[in-house]
Amino acid sequence: MSQRHYNLFDKLINGADRALRTLTPDTQALTREVPQVSQPDNSEALSDQERKHSAGLMRVNHAGEVCAQALYQGQALTAKLPEVRQEMELAADEEIDHLAWCEQRLNELDSHTSVLNPLWYGLSFSIGAGAGLISDKVSLGFVAATEDQVCAHLEKHLQQLPTSDYKSRAIVDQMLIDEAKHAHSALDAGGARFPAAIKATMSLVSKAMTKTSYRV
Ligand SMILES: [Fe+2]
Ligand SMILES: [Fe+2]
């Protein structure tokens, strides 16, 4: 079977399409349904303060997924080996569900996605493309280190989300499982293990993103 080869122009158009769909609400097709909850939905019982707090945390998670899309797209653009490129594109596809689940939950909580998402997309895309230009090993290592940090964030969010916000908790539970899998597969594919100093710098950057996205 012949495989289609994309030139730089095709890739740029595809990248622009993906960026627009990431940043425009209701434009992503789900491959998996929103994680179900066993308890009856009691979102109505959440106090205004709890609802606001849940929305802030889910907005941070949504912004994180925007960053993941951009990072993987940037990396796919500059990855050297075709299998690494494919791995990045597959991971980006899996992240689309997370993006859509968080967006849907934000709507249910009568809230909105972060107005800063285009900024996060641009920054993350550049970082991903830069990492891919250095080497596939660094690029994959960056995925592993990023996903580790995302897992740490999600674990913190599970402690902070109102206990009765079953729907948000079910989404975060499933995301945690998926992100841990992404971190493992990036290392298995040959990713470098990043030193603690680089991880500490990355965590400063992600703190800026989480602090601002919680509010706006
Ligand atoms: Fe994700
Ligand atoms: Fe992920």
Side-chain angles (χ1 to χ4, degrees):
M1 203 165 59
S2 70
Q3 208 181 355
R4 175 140 193 226
H5 290 280
Y6 293 97
N7 62 30
L8 184 64
F9 184 70
D10 292 331
K11 284 185 195 167
L12 287 175
I13 294 289
N14 188 29
D17 173 62
R18 225 135 166 172
L20 276 175
R21 277 189 289 129
T22 301
L23 296 169
T24 312
D26 294 326
T27 48
Q28 304 283 7
L30 285 178
T31 54
R32 288 176 295 170
E33 287 302 314
V34 179
Q36 293 301 304
V37 291
S38 42
Q39 301 93 332
D41 178 33
N42 69 339
S43 300
E44 294 302 315
L46 291 172
S47 69
D48 282 352
Q49 207 184 358
E50 286 175 324
R51 185 177 287 269
K52 230 173 134 187
H53 185 47
S54 281
L57 296 174
M58 294 311 279
R59 185 160 42 250
V60 169
N61 293 335
H62 180 270
E65 294 302 328
V66 168
C67 294
Q69 278 301 313
L71 193 66
Y72 283 129
Q73 290 306 317
Q75 286 171 310
L77 187 72
T78 53
K80 312 222 168 16
L81 291 171
E83 53 269 30
V84 173
R85 207 173 303 138
Q86 269 171 11
E87 171 107 10
M88 295 299 174
E89 279 164 359
L90 182 76
D93 283 345
E94 287 182 7
E95 304 284 8
I96 286 176
D97 288 337
H98 299 171
L99 190 75
W101 295 342
C102 291
E103 185 187 312
Q104 188 176 321
R105 187 62 189 142
L106 279 167
N107 286 338
E108 289 168 357
L109 291 165
D110 294 324
S111 196
H112 58 88
T113 55
S114 173
V115 294
L116 297 171
N117 282 345
L119 172 70
W120 306 134
Y121 194 97
L123 271 177
S124 303
F125 187 91
S126 316
I127 292 171
L133 281 176
I134 299 171
S135 74
D136 285 346
K137 199 174 161 62
V138 166
S139 194
L140 286 163
F142 196 78
V143 170
T146 307
E147 296 284 14
D148 275 349
Q149 289 195 341
V150 173
C151 286
H153 270 291
L154 294 176
E155 273 163 9
K156 228 187 278 169
H157 285 190
L158 280 174
Q159 287 166 12
Q160 294 176 9
L161 276 168
T163 39
S164 53
D165 186 355
Y166 305 129
K167 279 189 161 187
S168 301
R169 301 183 71 86
I171 292 171
V172 175
D173 271 336
Q174 186 58 50
M175 281 168 62
L176 187 53
I177 293 170
D178 295 345
E179 313 301 14
K181 192 183 77 185
H182 294 158
H184 283 300
S185 39
L187 288 178
D188 287 349
R193 281 184 194 273
F194 277 21
I198 295 186
K199 282 191 171 177
T201 314
M202 286 168 67
S203 124
L204 280 180
V205 176
S206 78
K207 255 192 197 128
M209 188 276 274
T210 53
K211 278 241 158 74
T212 47
S213 300
Y214 180 87
R215 291 171 204 286
V216 292

